[in-house]
Amino acid sequence: MLLKTVLYGLFFFEYSMSLVRLNIKGISYSQTQNGAYALILNEVDGERQLPIVIGAFEAQSIAIALEKDIRPPRPLTHDLFKSFSDRFDIVVKQVIIHKLVDGVFYSSLICERDKIEEIIDARTSDAIALALRFKAPIFTYKNILDKAGIYLSNDQTTEEKTTKKEKVTLKSPKEGKVKESDFKNKTLDELNTLLGKAVDSEDYERAARIRDEISKRTS
């Protein structure tokens, strides 16, 4: 147990200086996968956004946690986890999105019970749904944000960015679906142009797909 604690401590000491905090900006309907959504995370004190494709159930669970006035008649899975944790004095202290492989984000729950911390592997969508219920901060590493982050459109002023009230909504699907094969024959310059247009139109799920294609070619 002592060795395990020391290893965990070394792990977080090595990476703690590069952690970047994220907030939830919104959820939009996926254009490529039926029943999927794009969760958009905002860099705190920064201009980048991190789109993550999640399932419909997780999108609903996150939206419910954000909308304080909505109470499901029976507890959702994430609500059950919260009630279970409360009963046994387990606290989720923070969520860390710690790895990105082939467009898939990997996360960890940093939990504490009886002053002992444990790291639990979790899907990013589940981790964020739980972070909201525990009021736990969400982080990622700077290198992940450097690789997968998307910059906000330049036509939005700093004042607008800081004063605009954030509200999560489940947006309806737009006409026409995006196929990943649409990007295969594009050059990097064309992909970067498409990425800018997708961000400007707030089609974050499309932007995430384009970003992943660029990442595959440049990594």
Side-chain angles (χ1 to χ4, degrees):
M1 178 60 71
L2 178 60
L3 177 59
K4 187 177 181 181
T5 302
V6 171
L7 289 175
Y8 284 168
L10 289 174
F11 176 85
F12 285 108
F13 177 78
E14 180 179 357
Y15 288 102
S16 61
M17 296 302 293
S18 63
L19 284 178
V20 178
R21 186 164 180 174
L22 304 170
N23 284 333
I24 297 174
K25 183 194 178 199
I27 303 173
S28 63
Y29 193 87
S30 170
Q31 303 299 301
T32 61
Q33 299 180 24
N34 288 332
Y37 289 80
L39 171 68
I40 300 96
L41 303 175
N42 261 1
E43 175 187 17
V44 174
D45 299 326
E47 299 182 349
R48 288 174 290 185
Q49 298 175 351
L50 190 66
I52 301 175
V53 178
I54 63 175
F57 172 78
E58 292 78 13
Q60 179 189 54
S61 181
I62 290 170
I64 287 175
L66 287 163
E67 296 292 341
K68 306 300 182 183
D69 295 333
I70 300 177
R71 295 289 181 182
R74 299 292 296 158
L76 301 176
T77 302
H78 300 111
D79 297 322
L80 175 61
F81 186 98
K82 177 63 165 60
S83 298
F84 178 89
S85 300
D86 289 344
R87 182 65 61 89
F88 292 96
D89 297 323
I90 300 170
V91 178
V92 174
K93 298 182 66 178
Q94 60 184 350
V95 165
I96 299 179
I97 303 171
H98 63 82
K99 186 168 65 174
L100 172 61
V101 179
D102 294 332
V104 178
F105 292 88
Y106 294 78
S107 295
S108 295
L109 301 173
I110 313 304
C111 304
E112 183 180 83
R113 181 173 184 266
D114 295 334
K115 297 183 179 181
I116 298 176
E117 285 193 358
E118 295 287 348
I119 303 174
I120 300 176
D121 182 45
R123 295 189 308 168
T124 297
S125 54
D126 290 326
I128 291 174
L130 291 173
L132 287 170
R133 287 161 171 81
F134 283 90
K135 295 180 174 57
I138 303 167
F139 296 93
T140 191
Y141 294 126
K142 183 178 180 298
N143 65 320
I144 292 178
L145 199 56
D146 290 341
K147 181 178 180 181
I150 296 172
Y151 277 93
L152 287 168
S153 174
N154 290 330
D155 61 359
Q156 191 177 21
T157 65
T158 302
E159 183 178 356
E160 287 174 336
K161 292 172 191 173
T162 56
T163 60
K164 183 179 180 181
K165 183 179 180 180
E166 294 182 354
K167 182 177 177 60
V168 170
T169 56
L170 298 183
K171 297 182 179 179
S172 300
K174 299 176 182 177
E175 292 296 327
K177 291 186 178 180
V178 180
K179 297 178 181 178
E180 290 188 27
S181 58
D182 294 343
F183 307 135
K184 299 294 184 182
N185 298 323
K186 301 291 185 182
T187 66
L188 281 176
D189 287 341
E190 289 173 330
L191 288 174
N192 280 303
T193 299
L194 289 174
L195 178 61
K197 291 180 179 178
V199 173
D200 289 342
S201 63
E202 297 187 350
D203 189 349
Y204 295 106
E205 195 274 339
R206 178 183 176 90
R209 298 294 180 185
I210 299 170
R211 174 204 63 198
D212 292 342
E213 180 63 28
I214 293 174
S215 178
K216 289 177 184 177
R217 299 189 192 185
T218 57
S219 60

